Amino acid sequence: MKFSRIALLLVGASTFFACQTENNEQVNEAAQSNVSPEVIAKLADFDVNVNNVKKVDFLLPDGKTIPMIQMESDIHMPEEQALNLPNLQELSGRNYHTNNLVAQNTVINIIGYTGGGGFGLSNKAQTALQWAVNNYNRLNLSISFNLTYGTNYQPQDMVVYNNPNESGSGGSAGFPSGGAPFKFVQIYGLEGFNTNVNEHVITHEIGHSVGFRHTDYFSRQSCGQNVNEGAGSIGANPIPGTPSGYDPTSIMLACFSGSTDGEFNNNDVTALRYLY
């Protein structure tokens, strides 16, 4: 979730923080990527914007890296997972989620990383993580979160940590696989923002990790744009009970503002209860 400055486009001259860079940058980065045409085709069939897809070294809390495919700047997955994505072009009813979800009745053990080297969460980020977990647990869904803090992240289902090497402000995560959530949730550059903004970014990235896409993936209107994140996304069906048009206060919007309160809106809650 890198930021881009969108001035005088939304609500006066507010600053909005986006999950991907501007279109011309996406095309240039895609042209320079080493992602195979087969993976690109799979992501396109999954309604992912393939203009900004690249291989990256994904940083772990212990400083090691693992190879990942990055798309839309805040979503990552191993190449094997990308190659096994379903073809949404063949489905009659597509929702604004990934069709890869966490298994029902799962307790997700989530740890806030407190280690050194710049990877540990600050006191503010630890509070924001607690608030983010509360956002989900208070809904009494079929999935729930058991939050702890520490450094022993390997046996946990999900770890939230700071990436000290990333520029800008935001976060990153991935989509579920095999009934399990995406494990690694990064945040970066958020210490200058208030706790509500930290809460928003963490809640948003956990949302990706349990299967949610961007609410405005069909237009990126929250970023002041009017483009489809997925080439085949026109005509996609929203989750029942949620609006088919733009939802300006959803926590899963592609871009966020510095004035966000970090809370789900009613449509976010409807979507969560529909899936879980």
Side-chain angles (χ1 to χ4, degrees):
M1 182 182 276
K2 289 181 183 268
F3 71 86
S4 60
R5 223 172 261 276
I6 311 295
L8 301 177
L9 288 178
L10 297 171
V11 193
S14 298
T15 300
F16 288 78
F17 300 86
C19 294
Q20 63 182 41
T21 52
E22 299 293 341
N23 256 359
N24 59 339
E25 296 175 39
Q26 295 169 17
V27 173
N28 291 336
E29 289 185 21
Q32 298 169 10
S33 75
N34 295 319
V35 180
S36 70
E38 183 181 9
V39 170
I40 294 292
K42 280 286 190 179
L43 293 175
D45 286 341
F46 195 64
D47 278 352
V48 166
N49 186 334
V50 296
N51 289 333
N52 192 22
V53 175
K54 57 186 176 182
K55 289 184 178 179
V56 299
D57 291 324
F58 188 86
L59 189 65
L60 303 182
D62 58 7
K64 297 178 182 178
T65 61
I66 54 176
M68 288 273 190
I69 304 296
Q70 182 188 80
M71 64 216 72
E72 301 175 15
S73 283
D74 76 327
I75 300 171
H76 299 79
M77 65 179 67
E79 184 170 322
E80 180 181 1
Q81 183 181 357
L83 289 171
N84 287 297
L85 289 172
N87 184 349
L88 298 190
Q89 310 310 309
E90 298 173 354
L91 299 179
S92 60
R94 281 173 282 158
N95 298 313
Y96 300 157
H97 61 86
T98 67
N99 290 294
N100 293 332
L101 299 173
V102 177
Q104 301 292 317
N105 302 312
T106 295
V107 176
I108 299 169
N109 290 311
I110 181 171
I111 186 170
Y113 191 72
T114 59
F119 295 94
L121 298 179
S122 68
N123 289 335
K124 180 189 296 182
Q126 289 181 43
T127 299
L129 173 55
Q130 180 66 72
W131 291 0
V133 166
N134 292 346
N135 284 340
Y136 289 92
N137 282 347
R138 68 167 58 100
L139 298 179
N140 295 315
L141 306 171
S142 68
I143 59 171
S144 61
F145 293 84
N146 176 41
L147 174 62
T148 59
Y149 296 94
T151 58
N152 187 26
Y153 71 89
Q154 289 85 352
Q156 308 303 321
D157 301 310
M158 191 181 295
V159 54
V160 182
Y161 59 102
N162 185 65
N163 182 344
N165 297 342
E166 187 64 73
S167 60
S169 302
S172 66
F175 291 144
S177 178
F182 187 80
K183 180 166 185 168
F184 300 102
V185 173
Q186 297 180 354
I187 61 171
Y188 51 86
L190 296 179
E191 194 59 22
F193 294 90
N194 63 33
T195 308
N196 283 331
V197 170
N198 280 253
E199 175 194 11
H200 176 105
V201 173
I202 295 172
T203 302
H204 177 105
E205 300 304 340
I206 290 175
H208 285 318
S209 296
V210 299
F212 281 92
R213 297 190 62 162
H214 294 138
T215 303
D216 59 339
Y217 89 100
F218 55 88
S219 69
R220 294 187 61 79
Q221 186 174 338
S222 63
C223 309
Q225 301 175 21
N226 186 24
V227 297
N228 292 319
E229 285 191 355
S233 61
I234 297 175
N237 297 316
I239 290 171
T242 64
S244 58
Y246 182 59
D247 184 1
T249 61
S250 171
I251 209 161
M252 293 307 298
L253 288 173
C255 293
F256 66 93
S257 77
S259 61
T260 181
D261 63 8
E263 305 300 321
F264 293 128
N265 73 7
N266 289 336
N267 295 319
D268 295 328
V269 172
T270 296
L272 279 162
R273 286 180 170 156
Y274 175 77
L275 295 178
Y276 294 112

